[in-house]
Amino acid sequence: MTSGVVRTAYSARAAEYISLFDSISSTHPVDRELVLSWARGLSGKVIDAGCGPGQWTAFLHSGGVAIQGVDLVPEFIETAKQNCREAQFAVGSIEQLPTPDHSLAGILAWYSLIHTPPAGISQVLDEFSRCLKPGGSLLIGFFDGPAGESFPHAVTPAYFWSVEEMSARLQDAGFAVIGTHSRADPGVRPHAAIIAQRLITPSRVG
Ligand SMILES: C[S@@+](CC[C@H](N)C(=O)[O-])C[C@H]1O[C@@H](n2cnc3c(N)ncnc32)[C@H](O)[C@@H]1O
């Protein structure tokens, strides 16, 4: 239900979103450095979960990373395929990624959990845990703020997370938090990112 609302909202504004964000130059240089160095440290396939128009997927592909982009919105996947013909892309949901159990070295979830209602976040983290190899790595980017508080994002309502609360949810889903990053630039919502490693024997999921 929520996924349907998110898909419809992004589809309706897809052309506008693509014109603003389909180039990696729209991203912060510090984030590019973080995401690239994270991905280059992985060995195996990575999924860009909620890839939008695929700017991060293309960037990491050109950096030598074996990556597939997955997003709910067909217009984004079509644009992503045109912009980066060599990388793999698929229409799909972060709640049910198109990948076997324990097959991935990494998952990038860059601002793609922001529309998931707080009550649904653990289900998505469990799905990421299912997909990652033991020792695999997850990198999440999100808006830093009071955990679970909704705000009127330009496309469809979104939710803040605090580093502390997201870290707690990650630990519940079988991850160890490896590193956190926060930034508050003038005129934009505060940003945070967390790198977390899937434990060999997660407590809640197998
Ligand atoms: C704020 S955009 C971020 C897109 C891209 N990661 C970026 O950094 O520009 C949020 C993206 O998450 C996707 N998304 C949200 N919920 C999703 C879900 N349940 N499954 C797949 N994609 C989802 C949306 O379609 C949208 O492309």
Side-chain angles (χ1 to χ4, degrees):
M1 177 60 191
T2 309
S3 296
V5 170
V6 171
R7 182 193 294 111
T8 302
Y10 273 98
S11 283
R13 299 187 69 172
E16 186 187 352
Y17 193 92
I18 289 165
S19 73
L20 288 171
F21 299 119
D22 80 333
S23 165
I24 197 66
S25 61
S26 67
T27 63
H28 198 294
V30 170
D31 295 338
R32 292 202 285 273
E33 197 179 318
L34 173 72
V35 174
L36 185 59
S37 66
W38 166 80
R40 280 188 166 155
L42 304 174
S43 177
K45 183 177 171 181
V46 177
I47 281 190
D48 181 0
C51 65
Q55 71 276 38
W56 286 108
T57 327
F59 174 63
L60 292 179
H61 176 80
S62 72
V65 178
I67 190 159
Q68 177 182 24
V70 175
D71 200 279
L72 278 179
V73 179
E75 293 89 338
F76 287 164
I77 293 300
E78 199 45 49
T79 296
K81 285 180 175 169
Q82 283 167 16
N83 288 351
C84 184
R85 294 185 186 280
E86 303 79 18
Q88 291 183 313
F89 292 96
V91 175
S93 172
I94 58 175
E95 287 144 25
Q96 206 171 5
L97 288 171
T99 195
D101 292 358
H102 315 319
S103 59
L104 299 177
I107 296 176
L108 175 66
W110 199 252
Y111 282 83
S112 52
L113 302 181
I114 63 171
H115 303 295
T116 300
I121 208 81
S122 295
Q123 184 191 336
V124 178
L125 298 180
D126 285 350
E127 171 64 358
F128 290 169
S129 185
R130 177 192 73 77
C131 296
L132 285 167
K133 299 177 194 174
S137 188
L138 171 63
L139 172 48
I140 305 180
F142 56 94
F143 292 112
D144 193 2
E149 187 173 299
S150 171
F151 65 90
H153 182 272
V155 179
T156 189
Y159 302 87
F160 290 110
W161 283 93
S162 64
V163 168
E164 295 72 22
E165 185 60 27
M166 183 61 86
S167 296
R169 300 298 186 98
L170 283 162
Q171 283 157 8
D172 286 349
F175 290 88
V177 172
I178 302 299
T180 67
H181 305 261
S182 301
R183 189 175 61 241
D185 291 329
V188 292
R189 294 183 181 101
H191 158 81
I194 299 180
I195 295 176
Q197 187 175 38
R198 186 191 183 279
L199 296 172
I200 307 290
T201 314
S203 51
R204 195 169 66 212
V205 290

